[in-house]
């Protein structure tokens, strides 16, 4: 089987992983609410701890995949995922389940950087952009489906289904992975993690036509991505309470609060086909502004129709922010396993910081139910200002050339 055809199976692994991960993590907060009486403060604290582990584990998992191989990282990750879910279905104490969530987090961190690297290894400049598009559409599409039907599954199959259903999916992934590894073409991709294997990969020509250094765009995208997940993770933790506020069942919550995920799919598709946003600061700035408006509209709107409308802004903003981080990570580096790990680590920073600030605000001001959401919204506004500062610091002082490092100055 040629390496090109083999890559289609990595997208299957990716889609299955997204289905399992989103169903487990998003509906874990409903289980914590219903079984242990968790409110926004407690759910936000659990999410912050998950984000802290995710940040460190992603960074190290990317380095692990780069050093020991992508397939090794995938196998290790799937084992951790299956073991943690199996134990989680058996153990009832809340502390045990929170600790197993941390093990699950390490497992999922071993999977994502390896898959990101595998789908882009050996690609040309145009091939990288195409594969990043396939990758983004795959995980976003399956994530939206998992969240959309997850409420109904949770209601009809019971809370324990968040453990045994993802466990079954990961078991299927394991058999698919072992089947892939038996094919000769897999050996070529398995060896691609060695630093000497891939040829130098310069960024696309558009990167050298802007008044900002190419590496500055990577830095700005990595800066924005955590703020995107400040919004996403905070939202995931408070959705159970939002559902109660608007009188929604778990099933209805999954159906209605998935709109932003489907909007994000459309954004991914648009940004995949249209490359005019590549190395353009105004697009990133507009996406960040839409993120702020969308988040505030969802969590602070007094009326349900406002919360639904805000999901459009949230989905578009998140689409370009995430796509930028992943695209620049792949376009500006040859050690894609390590860069993929850094991309995921920046995501984890947001997953940790946003909920941590929200939980702290609710602890300090328990009499103000929206204190956490206003505090997180303020953090997002500060992030928007920080992006402008990074743009100013990343401006060029001379012309740059394509030769050598992406930021190497032309000899005058």
């Amino acid at each position: 089987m040629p390496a090109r055809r083999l890559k289609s199976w990595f997208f299957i692994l990716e889609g299955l992983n997204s289905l399992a991960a989103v169903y487990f993590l998003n509906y874990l907060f409903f289980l914590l609410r219903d079984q242990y009486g968790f409110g926004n403060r407690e759910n936000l604290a659990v999410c912050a701890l998950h984000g802290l582990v995710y940040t460190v584990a992603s960074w190290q998992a990317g380095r692990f995949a780069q050093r020991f191989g992508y397939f090794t990282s995938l196998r290790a990750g799937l084992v951790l995922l299956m073991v943690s879910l199996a134990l989680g279905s058996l153990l009832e104490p809340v502390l045990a389940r929170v600790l197993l969530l941390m093990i699950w987090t390490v497992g999922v961190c071993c999977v994502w950087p390896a898959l990101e690297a595998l789908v882009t290894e050996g690609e040309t400049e145009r091939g990288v952009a195409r594969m990043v598009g396939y990758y983004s559409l795959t995980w976003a599409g399956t994530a939206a489906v998992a969240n959309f039907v997850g409420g109904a599954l949770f209601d009809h199959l019971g809370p324990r289904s968040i453990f045994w259903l993802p466990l079954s999916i990961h078991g299927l992934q394991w058999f698919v992975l072992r089947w892939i590894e038996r094919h000769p073409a897999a050996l070529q991709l398995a060896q691609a993690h060695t630093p000497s294997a891939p040829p130098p990969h310069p960024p696309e020509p558009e990167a050298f036509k802007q008044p900002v250094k190419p590496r500055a765009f990577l830095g700005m995208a990595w800066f924005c991505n955590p703020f995107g997940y400040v919004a996403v993770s905070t939202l995931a933790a408070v959705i159970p309470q939002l559902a109660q506020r608007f009188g929604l069942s778990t099933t209805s919550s999954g159906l209605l609060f998935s709109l932003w995920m489907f909007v994000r799919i459309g954004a991914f598709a648009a940004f995949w086909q249209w490359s005019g946003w590549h190395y353009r600061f105004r697009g990133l700035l507009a996406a960040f502004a839409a993120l702020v408006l969308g988040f505030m509209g969802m969590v602070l709107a007094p009326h349900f129709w406002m919360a639904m409308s805000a999901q459009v802004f949230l989905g578009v903003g998140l689409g370009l922010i995430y796509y930028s981080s992943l695209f620049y990570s792949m376009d500006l580096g040859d050690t894609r396993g390590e860069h993929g790990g850094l991309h995921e680590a920046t995501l984890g920073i947001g997953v940790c910081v946003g909920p941590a600030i929200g939980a702290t605000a609710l602890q300090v001001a328990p009499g103000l139910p929206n204190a956490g959401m206003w505090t997180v919204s303020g953090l997002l506004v500060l992030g928007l200002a920080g992006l402008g500062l990074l743009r100013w610091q990343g401006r060029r002082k001379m012309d740059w050339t394509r030769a050598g490092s992406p930021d190497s100055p032309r000899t005058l």
Side-chain angles (χ1 to χ4, degrees):
M1 181 185 296
R4 172 71 62 181
R5 289 182 57 193
L6 189 65
K7 285 194 174 186
S8 63
W9 287 95
F10 298 136
F11 292 114
I12 293 175
L13 288 176
E14 177 202 356
L16 291 172
N17 206 64
S18 182
L19 280 171
V22 170
Y23 180 53
F24 168 71
L25 186 60
N26 285 11
Y27 288 93
L28 174 66
F29 296 114
F30 283 90
L31 180 144
L32 294 176
R33 181 197 68 181
D34 297 342
Q35 189 167 340
Y36 304 105
F38 278 26
N40 280 347
R41 183 182 61 182
E42 294 80 11
N43 272 345
L44 285 167
V46 170
C47 191
L49 182 59
H50 156 70
L52 177 62
V53 174
Y54 196 103
T55 301
V56 178
S58 292
W59 174 40
Q60 294 300 320
R63 299 177 66 182
F64 177 86
Q66 199 68 45
R67 181 175 180 182
F68 296 104
Y70 305 139
F71 291 116
T72 302
S73 184
L74 286 173
R75 288 194 300 271
L78 289 175
V79 168
L80 289 174
L81 289 170
M82 290 187 287
V83 169
S84 60
L85 290 170
L87 292 176
S89 67
L90 299 174
L91 301 177
E92 291 287 344
V94 63
L95 180 58
R97 283 181 166 168
V98 171
L99 291 176
L100 288 169
L101 170 63
M102 302 308 115
I103 297 174
W104 178 91
T105 301
V106 175
V108 84
C109 289
C110 291
V111 173
W112 288 129
L115 286 175
E116 289 163 8
L118 281 167
V119 300
T120 55
E121 280 292 352
E123 297 292 333
T124 62
E125 295 172 7
R126 295 182 64 181
V128 167
R130 183 175 62 253
M131 288 300 176
V132 169
Y134 288 142
Y135 182 89
S136 299
L137 286 172
T138 299
W139 76 257
T142 49
V145 170
N147 199 69
F148 185 74
V149 303
L153 292 174
F154 187 91
D155 278 341
H156 291 88
L157 299 179
R160 286 187 183 274
S161 65
I162 70 168
F163 299 105
W164 63 259
L165 187 56
L167 174 61
S168 301
I169 295 174
H170 292 313
L172 177 59
Q173 283 182 281
W174 178 267
F175 286 109
V176 171
L177 177 63
R178 300 304 290 173
W179 179 82
I180 290 173
E181 289 185 284
R182 291 202 301 267
H183 290 267
L187 181 62
Q188 177 185 353
L189 292 172
Q191 294 174 339
H193 66 276
T194 57
S196 60
H201 177 76
E204 63 180 37
E206 191 62 37
F208 302 91
K209 301 176 183 179
Q210 308 303 323
V212 179
K213 305 173 189 177
R215 293 283 177 188
F217 280 98
L218 178 60
M220 287 189 291
W222 279 355
F223 174 80
C224 291
N225 205 33
F227 287 96
Y229 278 85
V230 163
V232 168
S233 58
T234 302
L235 187 62
V238 303
I239 280 291
Q241 296 302 315
L242 282 179
Q244 284 188 342
R245 171 148 63 96
F246 291 121
L248 301 176
S249 67
T250 304
T251 298
S252 299
S253 174
L255 296 175
L256 296 172
F257 286 131
S258 296
L259 175 60
W260 69 268
M261 291 186 165
F262 288 101
V263 173
R264 183 175 61 181
I265 296 172
F268 282 163
F271 299 136
W272 176 33
Q273 296 299 320
W274 176 62
S275 62
W277 61 271
H278 291 186
Y279 299 98
R280 295 286 200 283
F281 173 72
R282 284 176 293 182
L284 198 56
L285 181 66
F288 207 129
L291 168 71
V292 176
L293 291 174
F295 175 79
M296 294 181 68
M298 281 197 70
V299 300
L300 297 172
H303 302 293
F304 180 68
W305 69 268
M306 293 181 179
M308 292 296 292
S309 300
Q311 293 189 65
V312 177
F313 291 95
L314 183 68
V316 172
L318 285 169
L320 184 53
I321 286 173
Y322 179 90
Y323 208 123
S324 296
S325 177
L326 185 55
F327 173 76
Y328 295 136
S329 294
M330 299 297 107
D331 196 50
L332 290 169
D334 298 322
T335 55
R336 293 198 175 94
E338 189 167 349
H339 267 213
L342 289 172
H343 159 76
E344 293 292 331
T346 63
L347 179 158
I349 292 172
V351 176
C352 175
V353 172
I357 289 178
T360 301
L362 289 173
Q363 178 68 29
V364 173
L368 300 175
N370 285 331
M373 298 306 96
W374 278 111
T375 305
V376 174
S377 298
L379 176 64
L380 293 176
V381 172
L382 287 177
L384 184 62
L387 176 60
L389 179 62
L390 285 178
R391 163 63 177 83
W392 181 79
Q393 291 179 337
R395 69 194 191 285
R396 302 174 194 256
K397 294 184 179 179
M398 60 184 73
D399 291 333
W400 306 84
T401 182
R402 188 177 179 80
S405 169
D407 294 334
S408 299
R410 178 181 299 158
T411 303
L412 299 180

